[in-house]
PDB file of all heavy atoms in Angstrom:
ATOM      1  N   ASP A 356      65.422 132.828 164.764  1.00 68.00           N
ATOM      2  CA  ASP A 356      64.158 133.516 164.522  1.00 68.00           C
ATOM      3  C   ASP A 356      62.952 132.588 164.478  1.00 68.00           C
ATOM      4  O   ASP A 356      61.924 132.913 163.889  1.00 68.00           O
ATOM      5  CB  ASP A 356      64.242 134.298 163.205  1.00 68.00           C
ATOM      6  CG  ASP A 356      64.617 133.395 162.023  1.00 68.00           C
ATOM      7  OD1 ASP A 356      64.949 132.218 162.266  1.00 68.00           O
ATOM      8  OD2 ASP A 356      64.564 133.865 160.874  1.00 68.00           O
ATOM      9  N   GLU A 357      63.044 131.422 165.107  1.00 70.00           N
ATOM     10  CA  GLU A 357      61.899 130.506 165.102  1.00 70.00           C
ATOM     11  C   GLU A 357      60.799 131.038 166.013  1.00 70.00           C
ATOM     12  O   GLU A 357      61.060 131.406 167.159  1.00 70.00           O
ATOM     13  CB  GLU A 357      62.326 129.115 165.592  1.00 70.00           C
ATOM     14  CG  GLU A 357      63.174 128.352 164.600  1.00 70.00           C
ATOM     15  CD  GLU A 357      63.440 126.931 165.080  1.00 70.00           C
ATOM     16  OE1 GLU A 357      63.951 126.768 166.194  1.00 70.00           O
ATOM     17  OE2 GLU A 357      63.135 125.997 164.339  1.00 70.00           O
ATOM     18  N   PRO A 358      59.540 131.072 165.569  1.00 71.00           N
ATOM     19  CA  PRO A 358      58.459 131.558 166.432  1.00 71.00           C
ATOM     20  C   PRO A 358      58.184 130.639 167.618  1.00 71.00           C
ATOM     21  O   PRO A 358      57.756 131.091 168.666  1.00 71.00           O
ATOM     22  CB  PRO A 358      57.253 131.620 165.485  1.00 71.00           C
ATOM     23  CG  PRO A 358      57.588 130.680 164.371  1.00 71.00           C
ATOM     24  CD  PRO A 358      59.078 130.746 164.213  1.00 71.00           C
ATOM     25  N   ASN A 359      58.428 129.340 167.458  1.00 74.00           N
ATOM     26  CA  ASN A 359      58.243 128.391 168.566  1.00 74.00           C
ATOM     27  C   ASN A 359      59.310 127.315 168.457  1.00 74.00           C
ATOM     28  O   ASN A 359      59.111 126.293 167.792  1.00 74.00           O
ATOM     29  CB  ASN A 359      56.849 127.771 168.529  1.00 74.00           C
ATOM     30  CG  ASN A 359      56.555 126.971 169.795  1.00 74.00           C
ATOM     31  OD1 ASN A 359      57.472 126.578 170.514  1.00 74.00           O
ATOM     32  ND2 ASN A 359      55.297 126.729 170.063  1.00 74.00           N
ATOM     33  N   PRO A 360      60.450 127.529 169.112  1.00 72.00           N
ATOM     34  CA  PRO A 360      61.573 126.587 168.966  1.00 72.00           C
ATOM     35  C   PRO A 360      61.246 125.156 169.375  1.00 72.00           C
ATOM     36  O   PRO A 360      61.836 124.222 168.852  1.00 72.00           O
ATOM     37  CB  PRO A 360      62.641 127.189 169.894  1.00 72.00           C
ATOM     38  CG  PRO A 360      62.268 128.627 170.017  1.00 72.00           C
ATOM     39  CD  PRO A 360      60.774 128.664 169.965  1.00 72.00           C
ATOM     40  N   ALA A 361      60.290 124.980 170.296  1.00 73.00           N
ATOM     41  CA  ALA A 361      59.932 123.627 170.730  1.00 73.00           C
ATOM     42  C   ALA A 361      59.385 122.805 169.584  1.00 73.00           C
ATOM     43  O   ALA A 361      59.517 121.578 169.559  1.00 73.00           O
ATOM     44  CB  ALA A 361      58.905 123.691 171.857  1.00 73.00           C
ATOM     45  N   LEU A 362      58.761 123.481 168.626  1.00 84.00           N
ATOM     46  CA  LEU A 362      58.144 122.788 167.503  1.00 84.00           C
ATOM     47  C   LEU A 362      58.905 123.033 166.205  1.00 84.00           C
ATOM     48  O   LEU A 362      58.371 122.823 165.119  1.00 84.00           O
ATOM     49  CB  LEU A 362      56.685 123.248 167.346  1.00 84.00           C
ATOM     50  CG  LEU A 362      55.795 123.045 168.566  1.00 84.00           C
ATOM     51  CD1 LEU A 362      54.389 123.548 168.285  1.00 84.00           C
ATOM     52  CD2 LEU A 362      55.754 121.584 168.976  1.00 84.00           C
ATOM     53  N   GLY A 363      60.144 123.456 166.350  1.00 82.00           N
ATOM     54  CA  GLY A 363      60.930 123.790 165.171  1.00 82.00           C
ATOM     55  C   GLY A 363      62.057 122.818 164.915  1.00 82.00           C
ATOM     56  O   GLY A 363      61.914 121.599 165.047  1.00 82.00           O
ATOM     57  N   VAL A 364      63.192 123.370 164.546  1.00 85.00           N
ATOM     58  CA  VAL A 364      64.362 122.558 164.187  1.00 85.00           C
ATOM     59  C   VAL A 364      65.186 122.306 165.449  1.00 85.00           C
ATOM     60  O   VAL A 364      65.919 123.177 165.918  1.00 85.00           O
ATOM     61  CB  VAL A 364      65.215 123.270 163.115  1.00 85.00           C
ATOM     62  CG1 VAL A 364      66.397 122.402 162.731  1.00 85.00           C
ATOM     63  CG2 VAL A 364      64.370 123.567 161.889  1.00 85.00           C
ATOM     64  N   ARG A 365      65.045 121.129 166.011  1.00 87.00           N
ATOM     65  CA  ARG A 365      65.787 120.747 167.211  1.00 87.00           C
ATOM     66  C   ARG A 365      66.118 119.269 167.140  1.00 87.00           C
ATOM     67  O   ARG A 365      65.545 118.513 166.353  1.00 87.00           O
ATOM     68  CB  ARG A 365      65.006 121.075 168.481  1.00 87.00           C
ATOM     69  CG  ARG A 365      63.686 120.329 168.634  1.00 87.00           C
ATOM     70  CD  ARG A 365      63.100 120.427 170.033  1.00 87.00           C
ATOM     71  NE  ARG A 365      63.967 119.805 171.018  1.00 87.00           N
ATOM     72  CZ  ARG A 365      63.563 119.444 172.248  1.00 87.00           C
ATOM     73  NH1 ARG A 365      62.327 119.675 172.638  1.00 87.00           N
ATOM     74  NH2 ARG A 365      64.399 118.880 173.080  1.00 87.00           N
ATOM     75  N   GLY A 366      67.056 118.832 167.988  1.00 90.00           N
ATOM     76  CA  GLY A 366      67.407 117.425 168.048  1.00 90.00           C
ATOM     77  C   GLY A 366      67.939 116.896 166.733  1.00 90.00           C
ATOM     78  O   GLY A 366      68.795 117.505 166.087  1.00 90.00           O
ATOM     79  N   LEU A 367      67.417 115.747 166.303  1.00 95.00           N
ATOM     80  CA  LEU A 367      67.878 115.116 165.066  1.00 95.00           C
ATOM     81  C   LEU A 367      67.668 116.032 163.859  1.00 95.00           C
ATOM     82  O   LEU A 367      68.469 116.024 162.917  1.00 95.00           O
ATOM     83  CB  LEU A 367      67.152 113.784 164.858  1.00 95.00           C
ATOM     84  CG  LEU A 367      67.540 113.001 163.600  1.00 95.00           C
ATOM     85  CD1 LEU A 367      69.019 112.624 163.618  1.00 95.00           C
ATOM     86  CD2 LEU A 367      66.674 111.756 163.453  1.00 95.00           C
ATOM     87  N   ARG A 368      66.617 116.824 163.884  1.00 94.00           N
ATOM     88  CA  ARG A 368      66.351 117.734 162.760  1.00 94.00           C
ATOM     89  C   ARG A 368      67.537 118.688 162.570  1.00 94.00           C
ATOM     90  O   ARG A 368      67.943 118.966 161.439  1.00 94.00           O
ATOM     91  CB  ARG A 368      65.079 118.540 163.024  1.00 94.00           C
ATOM     92  CG  ARG A 368      63.843 117.670 163.175  1.00 94.00           C
ATOM     93  CD  ARG A 368      62.660 118.456 163.732  1.00 94.00           C
ATOM     94  NE  ARG A 368      61.525 117.590 164.008  1.00 94.00           N
ATOM     95  CZ  ARG A 368      60.399 117.994 164.588  1.00 94.00           C
ATOM     96  NH1 ARG A 368      60.246 119.252 164.951  1.00 94.00           N
ATOM     97  NH2 ARG A 368      59.413 117.145 164.801  1.00 94.00           N
ATOM     98  N   THR A 369      68.061 119.189 163.658  1.00 91.00           N
ATOM     99  CA  THR A 369      69.222 120.084 163.586  1.00 91.00           C
ATOM    100  C   THR A 369      70.419 119.364 162.987  1.00 91.00           C
ATOM    101  O   THR A 369      71.123 119.894 162.120  1.00 91.00           O
ATOM    102  CB  THR A 369      69.580 120.598 164.996  1.00 91.00           C
ATOM    103  OG1 THR A 369      68.458 121.281 165.553  1.00 91.00           O
ATOM    104  CG2 THR A 369      70.766 121.548 164.944  1.00 91.00           C
ATOM    105  N   LEU A 370      70.664 118.132 163.458  1.00 94.00           N
ATOM    106  CA  LEU A 370      71.834 117.384 162.994  1.00 94.00           C
ATOM    107  C   LEU A 370      71.721 117.003 161.525  1.00 94.00           C
ATOM    108  O   LEU A 370      72.719 117.003 160.797  1.00 94.00           O
ATOM    109  CB  LEU A 370      72.025 116.133 163.853  1.00 94.00           C
ATOM    110  CG  LEU A 370      72.416 116.405 165.314  1.00 94.00           C
ATOM    111  CD1 LEU A 370      72.417 115.107 166.108  1.00 94.00           C
ATOM    112  CD2 LEU A 370      73.776 117.082 165.403  1.00 94.00           C
ATOM    113  N   LEU A 371      70.517 116.682 161.074  1.00 95.00           N
ATOM    114  CA  LEU A 371      70.354 116.346 159.657  1.00 95.00           C
ATOM    115  C   LEU A 371      70.535 117.574 158.769  1.00 95.00           C
ATOM    116  O   LEU A 371      70.924 117.451 157.603  1.00 95.00           O
ATOM    117  CB  LEU A 371      68.980 115.710 159.423  1.00 95.00           C
ATOM    118  CG  LEU A 371      68.774 114.339 160.089  1.00 95.00           C
ATOM    119  CD1 LEU A 371      67.369 113.822 159.822  1.00 95.00           C
ATOM    120  CD2 LEU A 371      69.818 113.327 159.623  1.00 95.00           C
ATOM    121  N   ASP A 372      70.295 118.753 159.335  1.00 93.00           N
ATOM    122  CA  ASP A 372      70.562 119.992 158.601  1.00 93.00           C
ATOM    123  C   ASP A 372      72.054 120.338 158.603  1.00 93.00           C
ATOM    124  O   ASP A 372      72.501 121.169 157.809  1.00 93.00           O
ATOM    125  CB  ASP A 372      69.781 121.157 159.222  1.00 93.00           C
ATOM    126  CG  ASP A 372      68.329 121.197 158.756  1.00 93.00           C
ATOM    127  OD1 ASP A 372      67.976 120.408 157.855  1.00 93.00           O
ATOM    128  OD2 ASP A 372      67.560 121.997 159.295  1.00 93.00           O
ATOM    129  N   HIS A 373      72.808 119.733 159.538  1.00 93.00           N
ATOM    130  CA  HIS A 373      74.252 119.972 159.660  1.00 93.00           C
ATOM    131  C   HIS A 373      74.959 118.618 159.720  1.00 93.00           C
ATOM    132  O   HIS A 373      75.486 118.221 160.767  1.00 93.00           O
ATOM    133  CB  HIS A 373      74.560 120.795 160.916  1.00 93.00           C
ATOM    134  CG  HIS A 373      73.964 122.171 160.890  1.00 93.00           C
ATOM    135  ND1 HIS A 373      72.659 122.403 161.241  1.00 93.00           N
ATOM    136  CD2 HIS A 373      74.491 123.371 160.539  1.00 93.00           C
ATOM    137  CE1 HIS A 373      72.409 123.703 161.127  1.00 93.00           C
ATOM    138  NE2 HIS A 373      73.498 124.308 160.693  1.00 93.00           N
ATOM    139  N   PRO A 374      74.958 117.869 158.621  1.00 95.00           N
ATOM    140  CA  PRO A 374      75.495 116.500 158.635  1.00 95.00           C
ATOM    141  C   PRO A 374      76.965 116.418 159.029  1.00 95.00           C
ATOM    142  O   PRO A 374      77.405 115.393 159.550  1.00 95.00           O
ATOM    143  CB  PRO A 374      75.281 116.027 157.192  1.00 95.00           C
ATOM    144  CG  PRO A 374      75.085 117.271 156.390  1.00 95.00           C
ATOM    145  CD  PRO A 374      74.442 118.258 157.302  1.00 95.00           C
ATOM    146  N   ASP A 375      77.732 117.492 158.820  1.00 95.00           N
ATOM    147  CA  ASP A 375      79.136 117.474 159.218  1.00 95.00           C
ATOM    148  C   ASP A 375      79.284 117.372 160.734  1.00 95.00           C
ATOM    149  O   ASP A 375      80.172 116.675 161.244  1.00 95.00           O
ATOM    150  CB  ASP A 375      79.848 118.723 158.704  1.00 95.00           C
ATOM    151  CG  ASP A 375      79.155 120.015 159.139  1.00 95.00           C
ATOM    152  OD1 ASP A 375      77.903 120.026 159.230  1.00 95.00           O
ATOM    153  OD2 ASP A 375      79.853 121.010 159.398  1.00 95.00           O
ATOM    154  N   VAL A 376      78.403 118.046 161.477  1.00 94.00           N
ATOM    155  CA  VAL A 376      78.444 117.985 162.945  1.00 94.00           C
ATOM    156  C   VAL A 376      78.092 116.581 163.422  1.00 94.00           C
ATOM    157  O   VAL A 376      78.742 116.018 164.303  1.00 94.00           O
ATOM    158  CB  VAL A 376      77.488 119.032 163.561  1.00 94.00           C
ATOM    159  CG1 VAL A 376      77.444 118.886 165.088  1.00 94.00           C
ATOM    160  CG2 VAL A 376      77.933 120.435 163.181  1.00 94.00           C
ATOM    161  N   LEU A 377      77.047 115.995 162.833  1.00 96.00           N
ATOM    162  CA  LEU A 377      76.652 114.632 163.192  1.00 96.00           C
ATOM    163  C   LEU A 377      77.754 113.641 162.835  1.00 96.00           C
ATOM    164  O   LEU A 377      78.090 112.763 163.635  1.00 96.00           O
ATOM    165  CB  LEU A 377      75.352 114.268 162.470  1.00 96.00           C
ATOM    166  CG  LEU A 377      74.845 112.836 162.669  1.00 96.00           C
ATOM    167  CD1 LEU A 377      74.614 112.524 164.135  1.00 96.00           C
ATOM    168  CD2 LEU A 377      73.566 112.599 161.862  1.00 96.00           C
ATOM    169  N   GLN A 378      78.328 113.784 161.653  1.00 96.00           N
ATOM    170  CA  GLN A 378      79.351 112.844 161.207  1.00 96.00           C
ATOM    171  C   GLN A 378      80.573 112.901 162.118  1.00 96.00           C
ATOM    172  O   GLN A 378      81.145 111.867 162.472  1.00 96.00           O
ATOM    173  CB  GLN A 378      79.773 113.174 159.764  1.00 96.00           C
ATOM    174  CG  GLN A 378      80.580 112.085 159.068  1.00 96.00           C
ATOM    175  CD  GLN A 378      79.732 110.864 158.706  1.00 96.00           C
ATOM    176  OE1 GLN A 378      78.520 110.904 158.839  1.00 96.00           O
ATOM    177  NE2 GLN A 378      80.369 109.788 158.283  1.00 96.00           N
ATOM    178  N   THR A 379      80.983 114.094 162.517  1.00 96.00           N
ATOM    179  CA  THR A 379      82.134 114.228 163.418  1.00 96.00           C
ATOM    180  C   THR A 379      81.854 113.556 164.755  1.00 96.00           C
ATOM    181  O   THR A 379      82.713 112.853 165.306  1.00 96.00           O
ATOM    182  CB  THR A 379      82.466 115.719 163.641  1.00 96.00           C
ATOM    183  OG1 THR A 379      82.816 116.315 162.393  1.00 96.00           O
ATOM    184  CG2 THR A 379      83.633 115.875 164.611  1.00 96.00           C
ATOM    185  N   GLN A 380      80.652 113.752 165.280  1.00 96.00           N
ATOM    186  CA  GLN A 380      80.317 113.152 166.566  1.00 96.00           C
ATOM    187  C   GLN A 380      80.283 111.631 166.477  1.00 96.00           C
ATOM    188  O   GLN A 380      80.819 110.932 167.349  1.00 96.00           O
ATOM    189  CB  GLN A 380      78.982 113.680 167.087  1.00 96.00           C
ATOM    190  CG  GLN A 380      78.655 113.150 168.485  1.00 96.00           C
ATOM    191  CD  GLN A 380      77.465 113.839 169.130  1.00 96.00           C
ATOM    192  OE1 GLN A 380      76.588 114.362 168.438  1.00 96.00           O
ATOM    193  NE2 GLN A 380      77.437 113.851 170.449  1.00 96.00           N
TER     194      GLN A 380
END
Side-chain angles (χ1 to χ4, degrees):
D356 56 352
E357 288 186 305
N359 190 340
L362 302 180
V364 182
R365 63 167 297 198
L367 180 61
R368 299 168 186 175
T369 302
L370 293 173
L371 294 178
D372 279 353
H373 297 83
D375 55 325
V376 175
L377 176 58
Q378 194 72 8
T379 298
Q380 184 170 26

